[in-house]
Amino acid sequence: MKVIKPPRLQKGDVIGIVAPSSSPRDLTLFENGIRYIEKNGFRVEVAKNISKSYGYLAGTDSERIQELHAMFANKNIKAIFVARGGYGLHRIIANFDFTLIKRNPKIIVGYSDVTALHIAVWKKCRIISLSAPLVVEFSEKLTGKQEEIFWQLLTSTKKMSISYDLNNDYCQSPFPRKTIVGRLLGGNLTLFSTLCGTSFFPSMKDSLFYFEDVGEEPYRIDRMLQQLKLAQVFRNANGIILGDFSGCDAKNKNSLTLRQIFSDVFSSEKYAVASGLNYGHCPDTLAIPFGTLAKLNFKKKKLELLENLVE
């Protein structure tokens, strides 16, 4: 299936704001995010279910699907930004109208629970998307280098030179002097683990697989990694990149550390693994494309993009 790059954003374009998982808990942060988008020269259209509540969800499954479909069908909407993560996207992906989505490719922006949307749209439509901060986080997370990369990815069709630093505090490579090329596929580890074995899980062949998680006990991180290893997900990838694991430290002395878990999972095989990507539920999180070609440079300790996100 041919890879599809969505059209780039231009000043004055309308950005649709959706809540396909949970609704924003703090409306002040959400409104600040809207103002930030408008300040940067774009208009906004907000989904009707943004403030709805069905338990921990932003409305029923059918309401959330309807609003998402409406954004893809609306020709005036040029990109789709997710207001908040939370929980619930994988509940509705089986009922997505992928024909509609493929006929109307648009930039999808979000991370955390939005990983399920990135995964499903890539698997069924091969549309490139962007794993990046949520609207409720814009005012605090889109600053400095993070802000520059975010908007460059969404608006530029020119050949760009974007790279991400890796601190490599945990690193192993069977080819330490070579660069490793692959398609960037990644997001939240829990969502990849949840969708593994379903018809929505993408082929990881020749990928650079990046992932992060937040607030999970080390044994849960261990369990998810072991599941993906048993499914040979890591073996199919060209390279593995560890992002941020905020709040995932052991709460008791009898636990393995994350470093021990990574070593147990990866050291028995000839995996190319790098760590220290500032991506995830951390203050300085970076926007990372889902589906573009990139290269992992162990010598320079960098992840370098090889193509644009948009056209």
Side-chain angles (χ1 to χ4, degrees), residues 13-24:
D13 280 347
V14 180
I15 295 172
I17 311 297
V18 297
S21 302
S22 302
S23 56

Side-chain angles (χ1 to χ4, degrees), residues 175-181 295-299 304:
F175 316 107
R177 295 189 178 182
K178 291 185 178 180
T179 58
I180 300 173
V181 175
K295 66 179 177 180
L296 182 56
N297 192 320
F298 281 92
K299 189 175 181 179
E304 302 169 338

Side-chain angles (χ1 to χ4, degrees), residues 68-81:
L68 191 62
H69 283 168
M71 290 294 183
F72 275 103
N74 188 335
K75 300 297 183 181
N76 292 323
I77 302 294
K78 303 304 179 183
I80 296 174
F81 288 11

Side-chain angles (χ1 to χ4, degrees), residues 1-9 72 78-79 101-108 121-122 125-130 152-160 183 289-294 305-311:
M1 191 185 300
K2 181 183 177 182
V3 172
I4 299 172
K5 292 183 179 182
R8 73 183 183 97
L9 271 179
F72 275 103
K78 303 304 179 183
I101 293 171
K102 191 172 183 179
R103 285 176 179 169
N104 300 276
K106 299 178 183 184
I107 306 165
I108 300 168
V121 169
W122 173 257
C125 305
R126 280 295 188 276
I127 297 175
I128 291 174
S129 54
L130 185 63
Q152 189 176 3
L153 286 169
L154 293 174
T155 62
S156 179
T157 58
K158 296 179 181 178
K159 186 175 181 180
M160 61 181 75
R183 285 206 177 271
F290 190 112
T292 61
L293 286 171
L305 299 188
L306 297 178
E307 65 176 336
N308 295 338
L309 169 80
V310 293
E311 64 178 12

Side-chain angles (χ1 to χ4, degrees), residues 213-224 246-252 255-256 258 261:
D213 221 312
V214 61
E216 296 287 356
E217 289 280 344
Y219 78 89
R220 293 178 181 173
I221 299 292
D222 189 7
R223 180 170 60 200
M224 289 185 280
S246 298
C248 295
D249 295 325
K251 293 183 174 59
N252 64 74
S255 174
L256 292 172
L258 287 181
I261 291 168

